[in-house]
Amino acid sequence: MRKAMTGLMAALLMLCSCGNKGDQSIKSPTKVKTEVVTAVQVEDAQSYVGIVEESEATAVSFTSMGVVKRMLVNEGQMVQRGQLLAEIDATSSGNSVEAAKALTSQAEDMVRQAENTYAQAKDAHERLKLLHDNGSLPEIKWIEAETQLRQAETALSTARSGVRSASATERIARKGLSDTRLTAPVSGIIGRKMVGAGETALPSQAVVTILNINTVKVKVSIPETEMSNIHSSSRSLITVEAVEKHVQGGLIEKGVQADALTHTYDIRINVPNADHKLLPGMVANVRFDNGDANEGNPLLPITCIQKKADGGLFVWIVEENGTVHRTPIRTGGTIGNRIVIVGGITTGQRVVTDGYQKLSEGTKVEY
């Protein structure tokens, strides 16, 4: 009996051991970061350092002086056209509106009284005219009737003029009240905020600036001897390391006035920026390609390039089934912290850029 129990326990231990080994053999995919290979034109390129600028800046200010009651936006905040940005104390403007409304009401009452007086004078004039035409009305009475009608007409005209003047005053007062609310004239991002709550805003003093960064411009200073090599349609590659962004530049605007000390000309390259990652003030590396058009070469982070024991270089390529494959490559020059790939991979492939230290041939990855 004891031998049978001992054998049964041994068998159970073997089964548990096998079960544990089976569980250990199931591995979850290794998490990595990847990048899809894209081609850029970088052959025969000249490199410069540039600064990112907004495509347009709008300074927004109040039209009257007042103490800022509320500041509703912060630097870096996206705003839409018509959005309320700030308010100044509206107490004085509100009082002016109420006073103007009262003045308008009084002027309208005077018009109604003048209209009644004119109507009575006109009615009396028409009745007396019949008597005057028949020769049965003394001349003095007729003169009095005409005089009263003219006086009533003058009083009515004056009253109506008063209403127009009062209405204009009320419109001005209401405009002053609406001007205590500062709204965005355009959509964009708040660049700088020059006035805060509790401070006094002066007429035409910029309160905030609104920047349009849907597209940006990269300003580059070019030596006068190299300006002839750059044209409005020259191809350029913009690299901004701060946000790890690499884009093809667009239309180039060439300055015509040189710096007196450095003898350089400023040019500005239009760059699309739909994701708003490029911000004014960022440093950019700019490379101009003045050679013939070509298909371009892949550009990858230098850190994802690995070296084999024999000195050969390779990267990890993610296959369609989610596993990685060691792929030999040939490299060219560098641009910032990225390197040109001249052979071994093609555009559209997915390369592991981080987490490659844990990989081996055929490893299943998740990205």
Side-chain angles (χ1 to χ4, degrees):
M1 182 66 177
R2 182 175 296 175
K3 290 182 178 180
M5 290 294 293
T6 302
L8 179 59
M9 292 185 66
L12 289 172
L13 288 172
M14 289 180 65
L15 288 173
C16 291
S17 177
C18 291
N20 290 337
K21 289 181 179 179
D23 293 341
Q24 293 174 357
S25 66
I26 301 174
K27 295 182 178 179
S28 59
T30 302
K31 292 186 177 181
V32 296
K33 291 184 179 180
T34 64
E35 180 178 310
V36 176
V37 178
T38 56
V40 295
Q41 297 171 341
V42 293
E43 295 299 329
D44 302 322
Q46 181 67 41
S47 180
Y48 302 89
V49 175
I51 297 294
V52 177
E53 296 180 340
E54 67 278 0
S55 62
E56 186 177 6
T58 302
V60 187
S61 60
F62 288 104
T63 58
S64 58
M65 184 176 72
V67 177
V68 177
K69 183 179 180 181
R70 292 197 302 166
M71 198 71 197
L72 303 174
V73 292
N74 295 308
E75 293 181 358
Q77 179 179 336
M78 290 296 302
V79 296
Q80 300 299 319
R81 180 178 180 182
Q83 180 175 335
L84 182 62
L85 306 177
E87 291 180 317
I88 58 177
D89 190 346
T91 302
S92 177
S93 297
N95 292 338
S96 297
V97 170
E98 293 301 320
K101 287 170 62 178
L103 183 63
T104 300
S105 179
Q106 292 175 3
E108 290 173 345
D109 288 341
M110 291 179 65
V111 166
R112 286 190 288 270
Q113 293 175 7
E115 287 176 341
N116 291 334
T117 300
Y118 173 75
Q120 293 173 2
K122 185 176 181 181
D123 180 66
H125 182 271
E126 290 176 349
R127 285 187 286 104
L128 292 176
K129 186 176 184 303
L130 295 174
L131 297 176
H132 178 265
D133 292 344
N134 293 331
S136 58
L137 181 69
E139 189 65 23
I140 187 64
K141 293 293 186 181
W142 175 243
I143 293 174
E144 289 178 357
E146 286 190 322
T147 301
Q148 290 175 356
L149 181 61
R150 286 195 296 270
Q151 290 175 342
E153 288 176 342
T154 301
L156 179 58
S157 177
T158 301
R160 286 173 174 171
S161 177
V163 167
R164 290 192 294 270
S165 177
S167 297
T169 300
E170 185 176 348
R171 285 195 299 272
I172 293 172
R174 290 187 182 278
K175 178 65 167 56
L177 180 61
S178 67
D179 287 345
T180 62
R181 294 167 55 87
L182 187 64
T183 58
V186 295
S187 299
I189 187 171
I190 300 297
R192 292 188 60 193
K193 185 171 68 172
M194 280 74 81
V195 178
E199 298 179 354
T200 299
L202 301 176
S204 301
Q205 173 194 10
V207 176
V208 295
T209 56
I210 301 178
L211 310 180
N212 180 357
I213 59 170
N214 293 326
T215 60
V216 294
K217 297 180 181 181
V218 177
K219 184 179 77 170
V220 184
S221 296
I222 306 295
E224 59 183 12
T225 56
E226 300 174 16
M227 278 291 286
S228 60
N229 298 327
I230 298 174
H231 310 283
S232 61
S233 58
S234 293
R235 295 188 300 272
S236 61
L237 174 67
I238 313 296
T239 302
V240 181
E241 301 296 348
V243 290
E244 298 183 349
K245 189 165 183 177
H246 313 271
V247 295
Q248 294 285 351
L251 184 67
I252 296 175
E253 304 170 8
K254 297 177 66 175
V256 295
Q257 187 171 359
D259 185 278
L261 296 178
T262 63
H263 296 283
T264 58
Y265 289 83
D266 287 341
I267 69 167
R268 287 174 170 81
I269 309 166
N270 288 273
V271 179
N273 188 36
D275 58 5
H276 295 168
K277 285 187 176 181
L278 300 180
L279 299 176
M282 288 184 172
V283 177
N285 180 279
V286 181
R287 294 177 69 90
F288 293 100
D289 178 12
N290 296 310
D292 295 332
N294 55 71
E295 294 181 355
N297 298 100
L299 195 66
L300 292 176
I302 295 175
T303 53
C304 76
I305 310 300
Q306 304 298 300
K307 182 180 287 188
K308 297 187 291 186
D310 61 3
L313 301 178
F314 71 93
V315 293
W316 292 106
I317 295 292
V318 181
E319 304 289 354
E320 292 184 359
N321 61 2
T323 61
V324 294
H325 172 63
R326 184 184 288 107
T327 303
I329 59 170
R330 300 191 311 277
T331 61
T334 60
I335 302 177
N337 64 357
R338 299 176 78 84
I339 190 167
V340 178
I341 309 300
V342 298
I345 60 175
T346 60
T347 58
Q349 291 183 295
R350 185 174 292 277
V351 175
V352 176
T353 58
D354 192 15
Y356 43 78
Q357 301 88 344
K358 301 171 286 186
L359 302 180
S360 59
E361 187 67 28
T363 299
K364 188 81 171 180
V365 296
E366 177 183 340
Y367 54 88

